[in-house]
Structure formats: C-alpha cells, structure tokens
Amino acid sequence: MSGTRDLLWDSGHLRLEREEARRLMEEGGAPSPQSSDDPLISLKDLDLRFGDHVVLDGISLDVWSGETVCILGGSGAGKSTILRLILGLIKPNGGQILVRGRDVATASREELLELRKDMGMVFQEAALFDSLTVYDNVAFYLHEHEDLPEEEVARRVDESLRMVDLDPEQVEDLLPAELSGGMKKRVGIARALIHQPSILLYDEPTSGLDPITTRTIDDLVLKLQRELGVTSVVVTHDIRSAFRIGNRVALLFGGEIVFQGTPEEMMESGDGYVREFLH
Amino acid sequence: MIVRKAALTPVRYAGSSLRELAWHTQRYFTLLWRSIHGTVTRPFYGKDLAVQLDSIGVGSIGIVILTGLFTGMVLALQSAVEMRQFGATIYIGRLVGASTVRELGPVLTALMVTGRAGSGIAAELGAMRVTEQIDALNTMGVDPVRKLVVPRFVACLIALPLLTIITDLVAIFGGLLIAVVKLDLTFDLYMRSVYSTLAQNGFLLRYIPIDFVSGLSKPLFFGAIIAITSCYYGLSTRGGTEGVGRAATGAVVTSSIFILATDYFLTQLIIGLFIE
C-alpha cells in the first residue's frame, strides 16, 4: 500500500518537475530540437566487451541537434562508457559511433582531435587540474590551442564563468581544492564551454550534490540548451534530474537500451524494469 | 564468464603471466619511444619542463648532498679500519674517489631520486588518472604523453647527471673531512690520491677521465628509467587511492631494480669499450 502511494507521489512529483522545466524552456524561447535532419550523434549496434564481460550489447541511439538526451541506468550499467566511446577515448568491439556523420571508432588521431574541438565534457568529479587555478583551468583549452592575446582569454574566461553563475573576481584565483562540490561542477562546465562546442557530454553532473545544488545544476543545463542551443548527452542515475532536463531519456540495463522515448512516455511505460526504475 | 587466474593450471597461468609481461613490455617501450619522439618534435612545454626541473632537480639537491656527504664519510671511516693495518691510509682518497665516481655516486643518486621524485611522479599521475584529469586532457585535444611525460623525461635526463656531479663532489668532500679530522692526512695528499685514481683508467679526448665519462653516462640511462617507469606506473593506475599507493610503490621498486641491473650491464659495456 505504502509502495503504491510512494509510486503515485513520485510520478506526480516527476510530472511537476517536467512541467516546470518545459515552462522554463518556453519562457526562454528555446529552439526546438531539429529531428528532421540527420542526427548529430548516432550510435549504431554498438558492442563493447572487457575480456569476457559484455558492457554494451548492440545498443543504438540517435541524438538530434539542440536536444538533451539523458541516459539512465544503475551503477555499473555502462552509462559513462557510452560518453567515453563518443569521445573516442575507447574503441568499441563492433558497431558505429557517428558524430556529424564521421565514425569516431575508425577516426585517425587527427580526426579525433578535430571532432573533439566541437565537444565539451563535464566529468563526474569535475576533473579539474589540481595544480591550476580556476582561471587557468577554464582557460586551459585556449592556452593550448588558440593563439589569443591574454586579454581576450581573460574576457572569454569571465564570460564562461558568468554563464555558469560564478563571479569571476571571487573564484578565478582559487585552487580546485578550495571549491565546494557544486562550484567544482560549475567550473567544470565553464571549462567545457570555453571553446563554444555544440555538443556537451555530462557524466553524472549532479551526483554527490545536495538537492538544492542539484536543482541549480539542472537549471544550468537547461539554460545552456536554451541560450546556446547546445546538444547534450547527460549520463545520470538521478531520475528527477533526467525528467527535468531531458527531451528524451534512454534506460540502460544489462548492456542494452531497454527503453528510449520522452519522459512522458517513460512514465506511461508498462515495462517491468522501467516501472521498477521509476519506483 | 570471467576466468580467474587462481583457477588456471600452472602452465596456463605461466602463459597468461608471460602474455601480460609482453603486453606491459610493449607498452613500456612504446611510452619510451613516444617520449623520445616528443622530446624532439613540437609542441614543446617549456614552462612544464621548468617546473619539473625545479621539482626533480632543485628539489633533490638537499637529499643528494646528505647522501653524498655521509657516503663519503662512511667510506673513509670503513676503509681506514682496514688500511690502517697495512699503513696504507694515504690511499683512502683513491678508494673514496674510485668507488664514488664509478659506482656509488650515480647509483645512490638515482636511487635517492627514485625514492623522492619517482614515487612523486607515479603518485601525481596516478591521482590524475583516477580523478579523470588524464581523460580531461585527452578530451581537450592535449596528448598526456607530451604534456606530462616528456617534461618529466627531459627533466630527469638533465637533472640526474648534474645531481650525480653534486653527489660525487660532496662524497669526496665527506671523505676529506674524515681523512683530515680523524686520520690526520693533509688536504693535498688526499686530493692527489683522488686524482690519481681518476687518471688511472686514462683519458677520453686527452683531458676527460674515463671514469668521469663512465660515471656521467650512467645517470642519463638512470634518468630515463626513473621517468619512464614512474610515468608508466602513474598512467596505468587503476582502483582509486589504493591504486595510487600501489603505483608509487611499484614505480620505486621497479625503477630501483632496473637501475641496479642496468648499472651492471653498463659497467660491463664501459669496461669492454674503454678499459680492457
């Protein structure tokens, strides 16, 4: 009885989250995802094994320009591995990973570097460089790849930090160890944004955060989609976050995608594992 | 199905271990080759090199001074006990000079730098690996070998010979202290004795003692061993903070064994090339 009540309460709560996110997007005049063109990212029959352990078993998933797709699943389901495959950090045993029509799995090192210029990655623990200040972390890509005057770099760093609602003057000189968990995530997002990529990959952006900070990060993901039209793939096990920020969600279980569709479709799904996961 | 090693027969276990050894060896030498290639091709990370020179080179000066000083002093003391019986204490300079410049200087310096800097390199890169900072570099189109390994490799190649010279000089000075203060030898007598042993094996290009060349060629190899082994362990780290600890320990143990083994083969080579 109590389980049914919890499920109803959860469903109602998820619906409210969803409606609020939609309202935020509409108020901001967000561009609607373009599903008519070819997908920006397309995973086709992707297989991945580590030794005898099957991590991904023939998964397929399309991500269209301007949309946010959340990949849900339990711990160790292989969610983060999908992001690493998209980035070309690991190679699949079979299948294709097309980014703008180019196969990451067979791309040369130079092609991969070129593809990654259009992608930004937000890591689970932010992965900020310990020895560098916030400023140097955010400016890292520009210092490495673009021959810009330092004033221009500083302007872009300021812009990125303000985009993630951080005050540059207060945080620029701090080291990562001096930041809270939520601030680290924001600096991680600012670093991923600095070269203005059109694809952002988030690995558990809200794990380990309190509910209020989680909401702030969710709103930030929505803001980036709304204001910059960024295409996002978000790996998470937080169902509320996924329902709030995702245009579509995919549920990973046993190396396969057992569900993909809109959050509304997921709420109405009769699949046993989907029901169990929602509960 | 995961096949556990413990469940394998001894023959299959040996085969599996050999395959693993071959895999690590291939990756180790690939890292060495990429580091050499990265040393002579762009992009160069001058600022990172300066930081590593400061950390590995300048940071190790104190420890090699102490090592050299006490090694020289104890060599003089120990040899005095034996040589006094034959009235041969005037040859203490020869013994301290020869053993320091040929063997103890390069080897002890390398072992001390391994313990101090090698473990640090493995732990730092290991921590970067487990906190996904290495992945972040890759994601941002930066080659971790060029950015992290090459500056440490070059810094070790530059720092080790210089640190060895410091160890040699301080060890000879340590021997001098004991010779003058405890054995009543004169400064002049001790230093002549040191010079005579360095001149014993002849000179390269008329002026450079062979022993000195031999003593300074070894640190180049030892520097490469320390850098590549420590970076290899660091970059291969798995398993969180426990893995970082294992990487640091593994780097020190493996580097030390490689240094001692390489020392033997280099000594054989140098004797064969210049002395015999």
Side-chain angles (χ1 to χ4, degrees), chain A residues 52-53 84 87 89 109 113 116 119-121 123-131 137 140-141 144-145 191 195 203, chain B residues 1-3 34 43 45 47-48 124 127-144 147:
Chain A
D52 297 319
H53 176 59
R84 301 165 77 82
L87 282 163
L89 294 176
R109 190 174 163 70
L113 290 178
R116 285 177 191 157
M119 296 193 251
M121 172 83 177
F123 289 87
Q124 188 170 355
E125 303 293 336
L128 301 177
F129 302 121
D130 297 327
S131 55
N137 262 287
F140 190 84
Y141 186 96
E144 288 293 329
H145 297 292
R191 184 175 69 178
H195 59 290
D203 188 7
Chain B
M1 192 184 78
I2 296 168
V3 181
R34 288 182 63 191
Y45 290 97
K47 197 175 154 194
D48 296 274
E124 187 183 359
M128 289 184 77
R129 165 63 76 196
V130 299
T131 55
E132 298 184 307
Q133 292 176 52
I134 304 282
D135 287 337
L137 282 175
N138 273 316
T139 306
M140 288 189 276
V142 175
D143 181 356
K147 176 78 179 165

Coordinates of all heavy atoms in Angstrom, one line a residue, chain A residues 52-53 84 87 89 109 113 116 119-121 123-131 137 140-141 144-145 191 195 203, chain B residues 1-3 34 43 45 47-48 124 127-144 147:
Chain A
D52 N 35.8 -11.1 -21.0 CA 34.6 -11.8 -21.2 C 33.4 -11.1 -20.7 O 32.2 -11.6 -20.9 CB 34.7 -13.2 -20.4 CG 35.8 -14.0 -20.9 OD1 36.0 -14.1 -22.1 OD2 36.5 -14.6 -20.1
H53 N 33.6 -9.9 -20.2 CA 32.5 -9.1 -19.6 C 31.8 -8.2 -20.7 O 32.5 -7.4 -21.3 CB 33.0 -8.3 -18.5 CG 31.9 -7.4 -17.9 ND1 30.7 -7.9 -17.4 CD2 31.9 -6.0 -17.8 CE1 30.0 -6.8 -17.0 NE2 30.7 -5.7 -17.2
R84 N 32.5 7.9 -23.1 CA 33.9 7.7 -23.5 C 34.0 7.2 -24.9 O 35.0 7.5 -25.6 CB 34.6 6.7 -22.5 CG 34.6 7.2 -21.0 CD 34.9 6.1 -20.1 NE 36.3 5.9 -20.0 CZ 37.2 6.6 -19.3 NH1 36.7 7.6 -18.6 NH2 38.4 6.3 -19.3
L87 N 33.6 10.1 -27.3 CA 34.8 11.0 -27.3 C 35.9 10.3 -28.0 O 37.0 10.9 -28.3 CB 35.2 11.3 -25.9 CG 34.4 12.4 -25.2 CD1 34.6 12.4 -23.7 CD2 34.8 13.8 -25.8
L89 N 37.7 7.9 -26.6 CA 38.7 7.5 -25.6 C 38.9 6.0 -25.5 O 39.9 5.5 -25.1 CB 38.3 8.1 -24.2 CG 38.3 9.6 -24.0 CD1 37.8 10.0 -22.6 CD2 39.7 10.2 -24.2
R109 N 43.9 9.8 -35.3 CA 44.1 10.7 -34.2 C 43.8 12.1 -34.5 O 43.2 12.9 -33.7 CB 45.6 10.5 -33.8 CG 45.9 11.1 -32.5 CD 47.3 10.8 -32.0 NE 47.7 11.8 -31.0 CZ 47.1 11.8 -29.8 NH1 46.3 10.9 -29.4 NH2 47.4 12.7 -28.9
L113 N 40.9 14.6 -32.8 CA 41.2 15.9 -32.2 C 40.3 16.9 -32.8 O 39.8 17.8 -32.1 CB 42.7 16.3 -32.5 CG 43.7 15.5 -31.7 CD1 45.1 15.9 -32.1 CD2 43.5 15.6 -30.2
R116 N 36.8 16.4 -31.4 CA 36.7 16.8 -30.0 C 36.6 18.3 -29.8 O 36.2 18.8 -28.8 CB 37.8 16.2 -29.2 CG 37.7 14.7 -29.0 CD 38.9 14.2 -28.3 NE 39.0 12.8 -28.2 CZ 40.1 12.1 -28.1 NH1 41.2 12.7 -27.9 NH2 40.0 10.8 -28.0
M119 N 33.3 19.3 -29.1 CA 32.7 18.6 -27.9 C 33.3 19.1 -26.6 O 34.5 19.4 -26.6 CB 32.8 17.1 -28.0 CG 32.2 16.4 -29.2 SD 32.2 14.7 -29.0 CE 33.4 14.2 -30.2
G120 N 32.4 19.2 -25.6 CA 32.9 19.5 -24.3 C 32.5 18.4 -23.3 O 31.4 17.9 -23.5
M121 N 33.3 18.1 -22.4 CA 32.9 17.0 -21.4 C 33.0 17.5 -20.0 O 33.9 18.2 -19.6 CB 34.0 15.9 -21.6 CG 33.8 14.8 -20.6 SD 32.6 13.6 -21.0 CE 32.7 12.4 -19.7
F123 N 33.0 16.2 -16.4 CA 33.3 14.9 -15.7 C 32.6 14.8 -14.4 O 32.2 15.8 -13.7 CB 34.8 14.7 -15.5 CG 35.5 14.5 -16.7 CD1 36.0 15.5 -17.5 CD2 35.8 13.2 -17.2 CE1 36.7 15.3 -18.7 CE2 36.4 13.0 -18.4 CZ 36.9 14.0 -19.1
Q124 N 32.4 13.5 -13.9 CA 31.7 13.3 -12.7 C 32.2 14.0 -11.5 O 31.5 14.7 -10.7 CB 31.7 11.8 -12.4 CG 30.8 11.4 -11.3 CD 30.6 9.8 -11.1 OE1 31.2 9.1 -12.0 NE2 29.9 9.4 -10.1
E125 N 33.5 14.0 -11.3 CA 34.1 14.8 -10.2 C 34.8 16.0 -10.7 O 35.7 16.5 -10.1 CB 35.1 13.9 -9.5 CG 34.6 12.5 -8.9 CD 33.6 12.7 -7.8 OE1 33.7 13.7 -7.1 OE2 32.8 11.8 -7.6
A126 N 34.3 16.5 -11.8 CA 34.8 17.8 -12.5 C 36.1 17.6 -13.1 O 36.4 18.2 -14.2 CB 34.8 18.9 -11.5
A127 N 37.0 16.8 -12.6 CA 38.3 16.5 -13.2 C 39.1 17.8 -13.5 O 39.8 18.0 -14.5 CB 38.2 15.7 -14.5
L128 N 39.0 18.8 -12.5 CA 39.8 20.0 -12.7 C 41.2 19.7 -12.4 O 41.5 18.8 -11.5 CB 39.3 21.1 -11.7 CG 37.8 21.4 -11.9 CD1 37.4 22.5 -10.8 CD2 37.5 22.0 -13.2
F129 N 42.1 20.4 -13.0 CA 43.6 20.2 -12.8 C 44.0 20.8 -11.4 O 43.9 22.0 -11.2 CB 44.4 20.8 -13.9 CG 44.0 20.2 -15.3 CD1 43.6 21.0 -16.3 CD2 44.1 18.8 -15.5 CE1 43.2 20.5 -17.5 CE2 43.7 18.3 -16.7 CZ 43.3 19.1 -17.7
D130 N 44.4 19.9 -10.5 CA 44.6 20.3 -9.1 C 45.6 21.4 -9.0 O 45.5 22.3 -8.1 CB 45.2 19.1 -8.4 CG 44.3 17.9 -8.3 OD1 43.1 18.2 -8.2 OD2 44.8 16.8 -8.3
S131 N 46.6 21.4 -9.9 CA 47.7 22.4 -9.7 C 47.4 23.8 -10.3 O 48.2 24.7 -10.2 CB 49.0 21.8 -10.3 OG 48.8 21.5 -11.6
N137 N 42.4 26.7 -15.2 CA 41.6 25.5 -15.6 C 40.6 25.9 -16.8 O 40.6 25.2 -17.8 CB 40.8 25.0 -14.5 CG 41.5 23.8 -13.8 OD1 41.5 22.7 -14.3 ND2 42.0 24.1 -12.6
F140 N 42.4 26.7 -20.0 CA 43.3 25.7 -20.5 C 43.2 25.4 -22.0 O 44.2 25.4 -22.7 CB 43.0 24.4 -19.7 CG 44.1 23.3 -19.9 CD1 45.2 23.3 -19.2 CD2 43.9 22.3 -20.9 CE1 46.2 22.3 -19.4 CE2 44.9 21.4 -21.1 CZ 46.0 21.4 -20.4
Y141 N 42.0 25.2 -22.5 CA 41.8 24.9 -23.9 C 42.4 26.1 -24.8 O 43.1 25.8 -25.8 CB 40.4 24.7 -24.2 CG 40.1 24.2 -25.7 CD1 40.0 22.9 -26.0 CD2 40.0 25.1 -26.7 CE1 39.8 22.4 -27.3 CE2 39.9 24.7 -28.0 CZ 39.8 23.4 -28.3 OH 39.6 22.9 -29.6
E144 N 46.1 26.2 -24.8 CA 46.7 25.1 -25.5 C 46.6 25.2 -27.0 O 47.4 24.8 -27.8 CB 46.1 23.7 -25.1 CG 46.5 23.3 -23.7 CD 48.0 22.9 -23.6 OE1 48.6 22.5 -24.6 OE2 48.6 23.1 -22.5
H145 N 45.4 25.7 -27.5 CA 45.1 25.5 -28.9 C 44.9 26.9 -29.6 O 44.9 26.9 -30.9 CB 43.8 24.7 -29.1 CG 43.9 23.3 -28.6 ND1 44.7 22.4 -29.2 CD2 43.3 22.7 -27.6 CE1 44.6 21.2 -28.6 NE2 43.8 21.4 -27.6
R191 N 34.7 25.3 -18.1 CA 35.8 24.8 -18.8 C 35.4 24.1 -20.1 O 36.0 24.3 -21.2 CB 36.7 23.8 -18.0 CG 38.0 23.4 -18.6 CD 38.8 22.6 -17.8 NE 38.2 21.2 -17.5 CZ 38.8 20.3 -16.8 NH1 40.0 20.5 -16.2 NH2 38.2 19.1 -16.6
H195 N 35.4 26.8 -25.4 CA 35.7 26.8 -26.8 C 34.4 26.7 -27.6 O 34.5 26.4 -28.8 CB 36.7 25.7 -27.2 CG 36.3 24.3 -26.9 ND1 36.2 23.8 -25.6 CD2 35.9 23.3 -27.7 CE1 35.8 22.6 -25.6 NE2 35.6 22.2 -26.8
D203 N 28.8 13.7 -17.4 CA 28.9 12.4 -16.7 C 28.4 12.6 -15.3 O 29.2 13.2 -14.5 CB 30.3 11.9 -16.8 CG 30.4 10.5 -16.2 OD1 29.4 9.9 -15.9 OD2 31.5 9.9 -16.1
Chain B
M1 N 31.9 -15.2 -19.2 CA 32.4 -15.8 -17.9 C 33.8 -15.3 -17.6 O 34.7 -15.3 -18.5 CB 32.4 -17.3 -18.0 CG 32.6 -18.0 -16.7 SD 32.8 -19.8 -16.9 CE 34.4 -20.0 -17.5
I2 N 34.1 -14.8 -16.4 CA 35.4 -14.3 -16.1 C 36.3 -15.5 -15.6 O 35.9 -16.3 -14.7 CB 35.3 -13.3 -15.0 CG1 34.5 -12.1 -15.5 CG2 36.7 -12.9 -14.5 CD1 34.1 -11.1 -14.5
V3 N 37.4 -15.7 -16.3 CA 38.3 -16.8 -15.9 C 39.3 -16.2 -14.9 O 40.1 -15.3 -15.2 CB 39.1 -17.3 -17.1 CG1 40.0 -18.4 -16.8 CG2 38.1 -17.7 -18.2
R34 N 57.6 7.2 -27.6 CA 56.8 8.4 -27.7 C 57.4 9.6 -26.9 O 57.3 10.7 -27.3 CB 55.4 8.2 -27.2 CG 54.6 7.3 -28.2 CD 53.2 7.1 -27.7 NE 52.4 8.3 -27.7 CZ 51.2 8.5 -27.1 NH1 50.7 7.5 -26.5 NH2 50.6 9.6 -27.1
P43 N 54.5 20.0 -30.1 CA 54.7 21.2 -29.3 C 55.6 20.9 -28.1 O 55.7 19.8 -27.6 CB 53.3 21.5 -28.8 CG 52.6 20.2 -28.7 CD 53.1 19.4 -29.7
Y45 N 56.7 22.0 -24.2 CA 56.1 22.6 -23.0 C 57.2 23.1 -22.1 O 57.5 22.4 -21.1 CB 55.2 21.5 -22.3 CG 53.9 21.2 -23.0 CD1 53.9 20.1 -23.9 CD2 52.8 22.0 -22.9 CE1 52.7 19.8 -24.6 CE2 51.7 21.7 -23.7 CZ 51.6 20.6 -24.5 OH 50.5 20.3 -25.2
K47 N 57.4 25.6 -20.0 CA 57.0 26.0 -18.7 C 56.9 24.8 -17.8 O 57.4 24.8 -16.7 CB 55.7 26.8 -18.7 CG 55.4 27.6 -17.5 CD 54.1 28.4 -17.7 CE 53.5 28.6 -16.3 NZ 52.1 29.1 -16.4
D48 N 56.3 23.7 -18.3 CA 56.2 22.5 -17.6 C 57.5 21.9 -17.3 O 57.8 21.3 -16.2 CB 55.3 21.5 -18.4 CG 53.9 22.0 -18.5 OD1 53.1 21.8 -17.6 OD2 53.6 22.6 -19.5
E124 N 51.5 11.4 -8.5 CA 50.8 12.5 -9.1 C 50.0 12.1 -10.4 O 48.8 12.4 -10.5 CB 51.8 13.6 -9.5 CG 51.2 14.9 -10.0 CD 52.2 15.9 -10.4 OE1 53.4 15.7 -10.3 OE2 51.8 17.0 -10.8
A127 N 47.1 9.9 -9.4 CA 45.9 10.6 -8.9 C 45.2 11.3 -10.1 O 44.0 11.4 -10.1 CB 46.4 11.7 -7.9
M128 N 46.0 11.8 -11.0 CA 45.4 12.4 -12.2 C 44.6 11.4 -13.0 O 43.5 11.7 -13.5 CB 46.4 13.1 -13.1 CG 47.0 14.3 -12.5 SD 48.2 15.1 -13.7 CE 47.1 15.9 -14.8
R129 N 45.1 10.2 -13.1 CA 44.4 9.1 -13.8 C 43.0 8.8 -13.1 O 42.0 8.8 -13.7 CB 45.3 7.9 -13.9 CG 44.6 6.6 -14.3 CD 44.0 6.6 -15.7 NE 45.0 6.5 -16.8 CZ 44.7 6.9 -18.0 NH1 43.5 7.3 -18.4 NH2 45.6 6.7 -18.9
V130 N 43.1 8.6 -11.8 CA 41.9 8.1 -11.1 C 40.8 9.2 -10.9 O 39.7 9.0 -10.7 CB 42.1 7.4 -9.7 CG1 43.0 6.2 -9.9 CG2 42.8 8.4 -8.7
T131 N 41.3 10.5 -11.0 CA 40.3 11.6 -10.9 C 40.0 12.1 -12.3 O 39.4 13.2 -12.5 CB 40.9 12.8 -10.1 OG1 42.1 13.2 -10.6 CG2 41.1 12.4 -8.6
E132 N 40.3 11.3 -13.3 CA 39.9 11.6 -14.7 C 40.5 12.8 -15.3 O 40.1 13.3 -16.4 CB 38.4 11.7 -14.9 CG 37.6 10.4 -14.5 CD 36.1 10.5 -14.7 OE1 35.5 11.5 -14.2 OE2 35.6 9.7 -15.4
Q133 N 41.6 13.3 -14.7 CA 42.3 14.5 -15.3 C 43.0 14.1 -16.6 O 43.1 15.0 -17.5 CB 43.3 15.1 -14.3 CG 42.6 15.7 -13.1 CD 43.5 16.2 -12.0 OE1 44.5 17.0 -12.3 NE2 43.3 15.8 -10.8
I134 N 43.5 12.9 -16.6 CA 44.1 12.4 -17.9 C 43.1 12.4 -19.0 O 43.4 12.8 -20.1 CB 44.8 11.0 -17.7 CG1 45.7 11.0 -16.5 CG2 45.5 10.6 -19.0 CD1 47.1 11.6 -16.7
D135 N 41.9 11.9 -18.7 CA 40.8 11.8 -19.7 C 40.5 13.3 -20.1 O 40.2 13.5 -21.3 CB 39.6 11.1 -19.1 CG 39.8 9.6 -19.0 OD1 40.7 9.1 -19.8 OD2 39.1 9.0 -18.2
A136 N 40.5 14.2 -19.1 CA 40.1 15.6 -19.4 C 41.2 16.1 -20.4 O 40.8 16.9 -21.4 CB 40.1 16.4 -18.2
L137 N 42.4 15.8 -20.3 CA 43.4 16.3 -21.2 C 43.2 15.7 -22.6 O 43.2 16.5 -23.6 CB 44.8 15.8 -20.8 CG 45.5 16.5 -19.7 CD1 46.8 15.8 -19.3 CD2 45.8 18.0 -20.1
N138 N 42.9 14.4 -22.7 CA 42.6 13.8 -24.0 C 41.4 14.5 -24.6 O 41.4 14.8 -25.8 CB 42.3 12.3 -23.8 CG 43.5 11.5 -23.8 OD1 44.4 11.7 -24.7 ND2 43.7 10.5 -22.9
T139 N 40.4 14.7 -23.8 CA 39.1 15.3 -24.3 C 39.4 16.7 -24.9 O 38.7 17.1 -25.8 CB 38.1 15.4 -23.1 OG1 38.0 14.2 -22.5 CG2 36.8 15.9 -23.6
M140 N 40.3 17.4 -24.3 CA 40.6 18.8 -24.8 C 41.7 18.8 -25.8 O 42.3 19.8 -26.1 CB 41.0 19.7 -23.6 CG 39.8 20.0 -22.7 SD 40.1 21.2 -21.5 CE 40.8 20.3 -20.2
G141 N 42.0 17.6 -26.4 CA 42.9 17.5 -27.5 C 44.3 17.7 -27.1 O 45.1 18.1 -28.0
V142 N 44.7 17.4 -25.9 CA 46.1 17.5 -25.4 C 46.6 16.1 -25.2 O 46.0 15.3 -24.5 CB 46.2 18.4 -24.2 CG1 47.6 18.4 -23.6 CG2 45.7 19.8 -24.5
D143 N 47.8 15.8 -25.8 CA 48.4 14.5 -25.6 C 49.0 14.4 -24.2 O 50.0 15.1 -24.0 CB 49.4 14.3 -26.7 CG 50.1 12.9 -26.6 OD1 49.8 12.2 -25.7 OD2 50.9 12.6 -27.5
P144 N 48.5 13.5 -23.3 CA 49.1 13.4 -22.0 C 50.6 13.1 -22.0 O 51.3 13.5 -21.1 CB 48.3 12.3 -21.3 CG 47.1 12.2 -22.1 CD 47.4 12.6 -23.5
K147 N 52.4 16.4 -22.7 CA 52.1 17.4 -21.7 C 52.7 16.9 -20.3 O 53.3 17.8 -19.6 CB 50.6 17.6 -21.6 CG 50.2 18.5 -20.5 CD 50.4 20.0 -20.8 CE 49.9 20.9 -19.7 NZ 50.4 22.3 -20.0

